Amino acid sequence: MALVQVSGATTKQVALSTSYLGAGNEIEITGGSYVELWIDDAAIAFTISFKVPGQTAIATKQLTAGDSWNFHKGRGTVLLVDAKSASGTPNLNVQVM
């Protein structure tokens, strides 16, 4: 897999596993100012890690099944998002506005 680039208002899906996507395979968000992340299987918990390129990653606690993670980011800020599921192979939905 390769870096998934998301720029501007859009929604993309990225397949997850029980391991992080890993360096070079993250989701790179370059556009928008509002981001929402959730998986398409409401019965599976998941964890998200994010960072600004060149900085240390910050991981969320494991999100409960059915939860979403949303936040505002500065326009022009590049953000790398990494994620993993607690089980199975759900898709992570990435919505940028």
Side-chain angles (χ1 to χ4, degrees):
M1 198 157 128
L3 185 71
V4 176
Q5 295 179 318
V6 181
S7 180
T10 190
T11 301
K12 284 197 175 184
Q13 285 191 326
V14 178
L16 296 184
S17 70
T18 55
S19 298
Y20 278 110
L21 298 168
N25 296 314
E26 302 102 330
I27 301 150
E28 180 183 60
I29 301 171
T30 56
S33 61
Y34 176 81
V35 179
E36 185 164 7
L37 307 161
W38 72 97
I39 59 174
D40 62 0
D41 188 329
I44 298 175
F46 63 108
T47 305
I48 297 169
S49 170
F50 59 95
K51 69 179 179 177
V52 174
Q55 301 298 314
T56 303
I58 299 170
T60 65
K61 64 178 184 154
Q62 187 174 52
L63 299 169
T64 306
D67 277 355
S68 67
W69 182 260
N70 55 63
F71 54 90
H72 291 274
K73 72 172 200 62
R75 288 198 180 274
T77 300
V78 175
L79 188 64
L80 293 174
V81 176
D82 205 347
K84 66 179 180 177
S85 66
S87 63
T89 55
N91 290 311
L92 177 69
N93 294 290
V94 181
Q95 183 177 35
V96 177
M97 293 183 271

